[in-house]
Amino acid sequence: QVQLVESGGGLVQAGGSLRLSCAASGRTISSYTMGWFRQAPGKEREFVSTSSWSGSRIYYADSVKGRFTISRDNARNMVYLQMNSLKPEDTAVYYCAADRAAVVRLQPYEYDYWGQGTQVTVSS
């Protein structure tokens, strides 16, 4: 079992930045694909970014490409999402997730473990 706890969300003005953190416990995440997803009110959970276990394969949703950066520190069992140039449409609850599969996958249902989420609100 892997427990995930997100932090770093908050209220920020458009154009601002936030850095989300995801702390994992229970098992090392060094062999897990780690992803970030988000869910806005009334919408389905959507893919934001994901990183293979080594960080050699990283993918981003088109909507965040060039603005968000995922990173991971396997030694510390941590995953991060640096979010720059935030827009009001980035407002959502952001979730960290872990996938036991070696292949990198982008669908929420393919991930095995989830955190409770952290709220990000971007004001215009």
Side-chain angles (χ1 to χ4, degrees):
Q1 290 283 348
V2 176
Q3 291 80 44
L4 303 172
V5 178
E6 303 93 336
S7 61
L11 174 63
V12 64
Q13 288 188 333
S17 298
L18 284 174
R19 188 193 194 206
L20 304 184
S21 298
C22 173
S25 62
R27 301 187 72 171
T28 177
I29 62 167
S30 59
S31 63
Y32 286 69
T33 294
M34 298 299 298
W36 287 96
F37 295 80
R38 66 187 183 186
Q39 188 167 16
K43 295 188 176 181
E44 293 188 351
R45 193 167 298 189
E46 65 174 6
F47 165 75
V48 174
S49 181
T50 190
S51 168
S52 63
W53 67 271
S54 65
S56 62
R57 286 168 292 156
I58 287 177
Y59 299 92
Y60 296 98
D62 287 343
S63 58
V64 306
K65 203 171 293 183
R67 300 187 297 121
F68 290 12
T69 303
I70 189 172
S71 61
R72 61 191 295 164
D73 185 337
N74 289 338
R76 290 191 169 93
N77 248 21
M78 295 290 295
V79 184
Y80 306 97
L81 186 68
Q82 178 66 44
M83 305 187 296
N84 299 328
S85 302
L86 282 161
K87 305 174 180 180
E89 51 264 43
D90 294 320
T91 294
V93 177
Y94 283 71
Y95 297 91
C96 175
D99 183 0
R100 290 174 292 187
V103 295
V104 175
R105 302 187 289 190
L106 308 185
Q107 297 299 321
Y109 67 83
E110 294 171 319
Y111 283 69
D112 302 295
Y113 304 105
W114 291 85
Q116 83 290 347
T118 185
Q119 176 70 47
V120 171
T121 303
V122 185
S123 63
S124 57

